[in-house]
Amino acid sequence: MNTMKYAAAAVLCASLSPPMATASPVEPPFLDVLVHQYASCVQPAYHQAELRVQDGTGRYQIDVKGEAYTVELQERMGFSLQAGIDGPVAAVVKLDRPPTGQFGEQARWRERWLRDVAERSGVALEERALAGGARLLIVNKGEIKGNYVGQSLLIDPARLLFIDVAWPNTLGIYRGPDGLRHVGQVQDDVWQRLLSCPPAV
């Protein structure tokens, strides 16, 4: 059943597509569905805020050991996860999908970049194998300092999806001698909730 939100999209599709024997409902964009699912799955421990949508394509450059690579984006949505309603930001999440045919190449460069970050920071890169051939890469600082305490990247070939998460050192929530352990606990908790969501297809 169509909704008002997608009525304009339905009209546009109808004007551009050849006639079909039967009408089919207009599905919301993949990332819209996924972000909505994540908003539900992370509650009540976290609250999704500052939703950001990139209109159209985009790009940015990464450098790895003197080599430059331009990351092309076909779709991007981002949001922050607050620890509870109006709490400090625990994670800054970006969901990216590349143009058709570029996923494998981008996955290699994104992983190279994160491994280079770990090497330059003098820390180990943690890698976890997930269902469906997905992999989770995590780099955390060796001490609590600066604006961010770590960076994670989920590479999901089944959904042609990258999930990039920055872990801010917001409002000193990682203070004390157990700060590094607390970082790992928050990361595990957030990823467990995100990965518990039913897959959007």
Side-chain angles (χ1 to χ4, degrees), residues 113-126 138-139:
W113 178 82
L114 202 56
R115 290 187 182 279
D116 185 51
V117 169
E119 182 180 328
R120 287 186 284 107
S121 302
V123 296
L125 181 142
E126 179 184 352
I138 302 171
V139 173

Side-chain angles (χ1 to χ4, degrees), residues 75-88:
E75 301 175 70
R76 166 173 276 186
M77 293 188 74
F79 55 87
S80 297
L81 288 181
Q82 296 175 319
I85 297 177
D86 296 327

Side-chain angles (χ1 to χ4, degrees), residues 47-163:
H47 173 70
Q48 192 183 92
E50 299 180 308
L51 182 65
R52 298 176 298 278
V53 181
Q54 176 178 294
D55 295 325
T57 59
R59 62 178 57 86
Y60 66 91
Q61 183 173 296
I62 56 177
D63 294 280
V64 182
K65 299 183 184 302
E67 295 182 79
Y69 177 76
T70 299
V71 179
E72 300 280 350
L73 301 174
Q74 187 65 42
E75 301 175 70
R76 166 173 276 186
M77 293 188 74
F79 55 87
S80 297
L81 288 181
Q82 296 175 319
I85 297 177
D86 296 327
V89 175
V92 179
V93 184
K94 295 176 184 175
L95 284 68
D96 293 341
R97 298 188 96 187
T100 302
Q102 292 189 18
F103 182 83
E105 179 180 284
Q106 279 200 23
R108 289 189 295 273
W109 274 95
R110 286 172 180 251
E111 180 173 348
R112 284 187 63 196
W113 178 82
L114 202 56
R115 290 187 182 279
D116 185 51
V117 169
E119 182 180 328
R120 287 186 284 107
S121 302
V123 296
L125 181 142
E126 179 184 352
E127 182 174 351
R128 302 179 190 176
L130 305 174
R135 294 186 301 134
L136 177 59
L137 308 177
I138 302 171
V139 173
N140 289 324
K141 291 182 177 179
E143 58 182 315
I144 305 298
K145 64 178 182 179
N147 294 327
Y148 291 88
V149 296
Q151 187 83 25
S152 299
L153 176 66
L154 177 71
I155 301 173
D156 187 345
R159 297 186 292 180
L160 301 178
L161 175 70
F162 299 104
I163 302 181

Side-chain angles (χ1 to χ4, degrees), residues 24-43:
S24 59
V26 176
E27 296 294 332
F30 173 83
L31 292 188
D32 283 5
V33 174
L34 195 55
V35 167
H36 178 74
Q37 286 181 329
Y38 285 159
S40 298
C41 291
V42 299
Q43 293 179 358

